[in-house]
Amino acid sequence: MSTPSASFSLATQPWIDVVDDTGRTDTMGVLQVLEQADRLHLAAADPLVWSATVRLLTVIAYQAGCGPRDHDAYVRQVRNGIALEPARRWVREHEEDLDLFHPRSPLFQDGTLRHLADRPAARLPVLYLDPAAAISRPLLVDHRPLHASIPVSACRAAHLLLVQQMWATGGKIRSKQAVYGRGAALGRAAAQTGGVVWHPAGTVAEQLTWRLMAAPGVLGRASFTHTPSAGTEEIPVGSELDGLTWQPRRMLLLPEIDGMVRQVLLTQGWRMKHPELKGSSVATLPGSRDLVDVKEGQKFITHRLTSDQDQAPLLERWWRAPEGSWAHAVRQAAARTGRTPDVVAVGLAVRDHSVIVHQRRITLPAMLLADTRSAAAAHTVMHFRRQARTVAPHHLADRSAGTVLPPGFGSGLLHDPQFLDAKPDEQVALLFAAACSATGAHGRRRTLLAGAVSHLIADDSEAAPEVSPTTTDLPPASSMQMELFSFEPDAPGSPGVSASASVDADDDSFLFVTAASTTAAPPHSRRSGHHSPVSHGETGELAFTLSRQLGRWYAHPRSRYLLAQLATWVVHPSPDTPACRLVTRMVPDHLQHAALLTAGLFAMHRRTNSRAELYGGAPLARLMRAFGSAGSPLRGPADLPTRAAVLNLLRAPDAHALRVPLARIIRKAAPQDLTPHWGQLFIDLAAWGPDVRQKWADQFYTARPASSLSTTVTTNLPQDSAAS
């Protein structure tokens, strides 16, 4: 039964995860975020929640009149910063408009559905709003939420509501036509679903400064609550704010007496009339100017991004964004001001408009977006990848002669100044060398790949750089190539380590041994009886106990739900999570956060890749020497994104500021079958400070054995026995 008297206004209630300029995390309401916009960064771990939050703040700022009148005003806004006082004043005056449980006009919901709240046939579990509840399955018709759904807090309900209205998938909704009316069960996907949306990065103030472009046409008014439409008829988007607040679902959250939300009323909402493009682009339509498009003007499909580091496809589209799109406005302003923002691209990949496949969150650094050389380089990378697909195994009679490039191939080279400075034919030769090294292509496979990429021809209609045809063998175009692609012999199970990365094979080769490796075992083998490097004393014993208990929980199917709760805690910290109490009671008060964070990262690692080794033999900072960008031979300190991630860690003033960056690192390590030493991670988090930061820096930047980088005394930690 719902409680009409409940109230939760996003204006004042805490629901936005943020991190301030000192690295401290917090949860705030919209008004508090706007009041401290110059020093706060949005910190939601879920890319879809992060994206939907940016859009809501954008709508509020537009509605309050913070947007520029024309492009010249936009340029001045970029130079001088945005004035957010009108937005703060609007939020104070319209607190009710942002109330999640308002009795008449709840935020982004249909208050007229309240008369159906007492009908059991109308209610659905709130889990139907969570895209993560049905990966690789059609969410809207899945029966599992009927048995697994649990109540969520009002804060979490706000996240699910915003995500659903921005990223709703299509398919048949489990709502009855007899209750909601004809066509109510035929759910349509939102305009962004399946595509990719650009967002500026930085502080909240910087995000709004760049995002609030001068919108062509009518700005209009935002629809903060659902209003009736013409039944099943399609209606056009009337204005910019109309498109930004389009509501593809009619919903009504049903709060319990304690403010938790267990059930929701859910049915089809507004049906957007898709305009005929007729030579224009989807990125120039009202409400869709932050969408990434393709050459034909259609929506860029998330499936084209093959990894979370695949920057090349997005960089190619950035330089070709059409006039009227947000990316084009930023490029023009950057040319006049000399400033460029970091850009985050968020996408939701779906199949058949209804089956969720995966999410993507990819950062494009400002140095790439401001470097005009990257336009031609990205085009060359993508042209090479398109040509290489012609010799994929499914295109050949002899499948063994086919070549499949690794995910994100070539994106790492876009950070290399030598690659950017190279001529097109030299870039092709560099890409060919990298492809042969990454795929092990030789003999006929090498010849077929060379034949495919030797036909690279620039597309003059796209003003692409001219790429000269090369010979079948594609010899090195300059001595630079020999320097960049000089390899030491690969360690068993290793994907290859560049000699230019200053990596000592004797010390680091074990970092590349994965769960799939059968010919080599790393030092400190989990089955060899060796000691693992952790500190001596009470903390070391607690590390052993914690690691063993986590292994037991994973080993027994009946207790794995605890790991699911812990993985959720990393994304949405809540002391009320039942599994948290089981973890914290194992350790003293001053070690509880370190234990919770270690347990949550362990659970996230298992959720991301259950086939990876359960326990690792290397400290996390040491393990990051094996990190690299897809398509690049560079690893560890030689890889710019990895080095940036380590610097972000080393700036953290305390362990509380490590939750978000460590979660991203574990998500990157798990798909590569890389597992850290969980006991050592717990000890380091418990003692986080200047000494630990220096130790992590030494472990990452130097090629000495890990044992020589730690001043701790070794103690027995038979990690592999933990799962017994």
Side-chain angles (χ1 to χ4, degrees):
M1 183 69 66
S2 63
T3 306
S5 60
S7 175
F8 189 90
S9 176
L10 303 194
T12 55
Q13 296 295 327
W15 66 279
I16 303 176
D17 293 326
V18 296
V19 58
D20 63 19
D21 49 13
T22 68
R24 189 170 298 276
T25 59
D26 202 350
T27 305
M28 301 179 178
V30 171
L31 182 58
Q32 195 174 1
V33 168
L34 292 176
E35 288 174 344
Q36 304 180 51
D38 290 327
R39 56 186 299 268
L40 295 180
H41 297 253
L42 299 181
D46 186 335
L48 303 185
V49 173
W50 187 89
S51 176
T53 305
V54 175
R55 175 160 287 202
L56 177 62
L57 294 175
T58 300
V59 167
I60 291 173
Y62 264 136
Q63 183 69 52
C66 296
R69 294 186 303 274
D70 51 36
H71 186 71
D72 289 337
Y74 178 63
V75 173
R76 290 194 297 273
Q77 176 177 283
V78 169
R79 285 198 179 104
N80 305 323
I82 190 171
L84 291 177
E85 180 55 36
R88 293 189 284 267
R89 183 168 56 251
W90 186 93
V91 172
R92 295 188 192 98
E93 296 172 353
H94 296 81
E95 184 176 340
E96 286 191 352
D97 291 344
L98 302 178
D99 192 343
L100 211 59
F101 305 134
H102 193 279
R104 295 181 304 279
S105 54
L107 177 67
F108 293 148
Q109 301 164 75
D110 187 357
T112 63
L113 296 177
R114 197 171 301 280
H115 70 282
L116 301 175
D118 294 330
R119 300 181 62 173
R123 301 195 295 264
L124 291 174
V126 72
L127 194 60
Y128 274 111
L129 305 184
D130 187 358
I135 301 298
S136 299
R137 304 191 305 273
L139 172 66
L140 298 177
V141 296
D142 198 338
H143 292 270
R144 301 186 193 197
L146 295 174
H147 309 289
S149 185
I150 59 175
V152 300
S153 65
C155 170
R156 179 59 179 156
H159 295 164
L160 297 179
L161 175 72
L162 294 179
V163 168
Q164 189 67 210
Q165 296 292 30
M166 182 174 178
W167 299 98
T169 58
K172 187 175 180 181
I173 307 175
R174 291 180 57 84
S175 57
K176 300 182 181 300
Q177 293 191 112
V179 176
Y180 290 101
R182 185 170 64 89
L186 302 177
R188 286 194 178 183
Q192 295 77 25
T193 305
V196 179
V197 177
W198 310 106
H199 292 295
T203 65
V204 173
E206 291 169 342
Q207 284 185 298
L208 295 177
T209 295
W210 285 102
R211 178 58 187 87
L212 265 66
M213 61 178 286
V218 180
L219 181 61
R221 295 188 61 81
S223 301
F224 287 101
T225 192
H226 195 283
T227 55
S229 60
T232 59
E233 293 183 11
E234 295 182 339
I235 52 179
V237 177
S239 65
E240 187 71 20
L241 285 177
D242 188 23
L244 289 173
T245 56
W246 193 267
Q247 297 168 43
R249 296 289 181 268
R250 292 174 64 201
M251 290 185 288
L252 185 64
L253 298 171
L254 303 178
E256 304 282 341
I257 193 170
D258 58 356
M260 302 291 283
V261 179
R262 181 185 298 272
Q263 295 178 316
V264 62
L265 306 180
L266 176 66
T267 183
Q268 168 64 30
W270 298 334
R271 300 175 184 272
M272 182 181 295
K273 183 176 182 180
H274 298 287
E276 297 181 6
L277 296 178
K278 294 181 178 179
S280 61
S281 168
V282 66
T284 62
L285 300 178
S288 298
R289 303 185 195 280
D290 50 6
L291 268 177
V292 184
D293 70 341
V294 295
K295 181 177 69 172
E296 296 78 11
Q298 303 296 327
K299 181 167 58 178
F300 180 95
I301 304 302
T302 309
H303 285 293
R304 300 186 181 202
L305 302 174
T306 56
S307 77
D308 286 336
Q309 290 78 43
D310 195 6
Q311 299 169 328
L314 295 171
L315 195 58
E316 183 185 39
R317 294 312 312 161
W318 175 264
W319 291 103
R320 295 173 180 175
E323 185 176 357
S325 67
W326 175 77
H328 185 270
V330 172
R331 287 204 338 258
Q332 285 189 318
R336 294 174 59 179
T337 63
R339 303 175 183 177
T340 305
D342 290 336
V343 171
V344 177
V346 176
L348 179 66
V350 296
R351 185 174 67 251
D352 301 328
H353 303 287
S354 60
V355 178
I356 298 172
V357 181
H358 59 252
Q359 304 172 11
R360 290 281 184 240
R361 176 176 180 164
I362 300 175
T363 300
L364 298 175
M367 65 178 184
L368 269 184
L369 300 179
D371 192 339
T372 55
R373 298 174 301 172
S374 66
H379 176 80
T380 301
V381 170
M382 294 308 300
H383 214 13
F384 185 97
R385 284 164 57 165
R386 285 188 284 266
Q387 289 299 115
R389 281 199 293 268
T390 63
V391 292
H394 63 276
H395 286 304
L396 304 176
D398 181 7
R399 290 177 176 264
S400 63
T403 299
V404 178
L405 297 178
F409 175 78
S411 291
L413 289 174
L414 296 174
H415 296 267
D416 192 320
Q418 292 178 308
F419 182 80
L420 295 176
D421 285 333
K423 297 178 180 179
D425 58 341
E426 293 175 336
Q427 290 176 340
V428 172
L430 288 168
L431 290 166
F432 179 76
C436 291
S437 173
T439 63
H442 61 275
R444 185 159 184 263
R445 288 178 60 196
R446 180 185 175 95
T447 301
L448 288 175
L449 179 60
V453 300
S454 66
H455 294 89
L456 291 178
I457 301 175
D459 186 349
D460 293 333
S461 65
E462 295 184 279
E466 182 177 356
V467 182
S468 303
T470 55
T471 62
T472 302
D473 291 332
L474 285 173
S478 69
S479 60
M480 171 193 65
Q481 297 155 219
M482 297 302 295
E483 178 183 352
L484 184 60
F485 290 102
S486 56
F487 293 95
E488 297 290 340
D490 292 346
S494 166
V497 185
S498 170
S500 63
S502 301
V503 174
D504 187 335
D506 291 336
D507 298 335
D508 285 341
S509 60
F510 75 96
L511 298 177
F512 296 90
V513 178
T514 68
S517 304
T518 58
T519 59
H524 311 297
S525 173
R526 277 77 70 192
R527 295 178 174 82
S528 64
H530 283 83
H531 299 317
S532 299
V534 298
S535 63
H536 183 68
E538 179 190 12
T539 309
E541 294 298 325
L542 292 173
F544 167 73
T545 302
L546 178 63
S547 299
R548 181 174 60 180
Q549 186 59 59
L550 292 173
R552 284 175 173 171
W553 285 346
Y554 181 74
H556 298 287
R558 292 184 179 180
S559 58
R560 288 185 183 175
Y561 74 95
L562 296 173
L563 295 181
Q565 293 179 5
L566 290 170
T568 302
W569 176 88
V570 177
V571 181
H572 305 288
S574 172
D576 299 328
T577 304
C580 291
R581 293 191 290 271
L582 296 178
V583 173
T584 54
R585 73 185 186 186
M586 290 190 286
V587 297
D589 291 347
H590 68 285
L591 298 178
Q592 288 184 357
H593 180 75
L596 273 177
L597 188 51
T598 303
L601 295 173
F602 175 92
M604 179 174 287
H605 188 275
R606 304 315 300 166
R607 172 185 284 184
T608 306
N609 184 4
S610 60
R611 296 186 178 183
E613 287 285 346
L614 194 63
Y615 296 105
L620 181 60
R622 188 71 178 167
L623 195 71
M624 291 183 69
R625 289 181 64 82
F627 284 19
S629 301
S632 171
L634 305 180
R635 301 281 168 177
D639 180 62
L640 290 179
T642 303
R643 194 161 69 238
V646 171
L647 290 175
N648 193 27
L649 287 176
L650 298 180
R651 293 191 186 105
D654 54 47
H656 291 273
L658 290 170
R659 178 178 59 86
V660 174
L662 280 179
R664 293 172 183 167
I665 288 171
I666 291 300
R667 283 200 187 101
K668 185 173 181 178
Q672 302 179 58
D673 291 339
L674 298 174
T675 306
H677 190 300
W678 300 112
Q680 188 64 56
L681 179 61
F682 166 71
I683 290 170
D684 289 344
L685 294 177
W688 188 260
D691 292 341
V692 176
R693 290 200 293 267
Q694 183 60 50
K695 183 180 73 172
W696 279 34
D698 290 342
Q699 289 174 342
F700 176 73
Y701 285 107
T702 64
R704 287 175 288 159
S707 58
S708 69
L709 303 176
S710 175
T711 59
T712 58
V713 181
T714 61
T715 185
N716 289 334
L717 187 58
Q719 293 200 53
D720 205 50
S721 65
S724 60

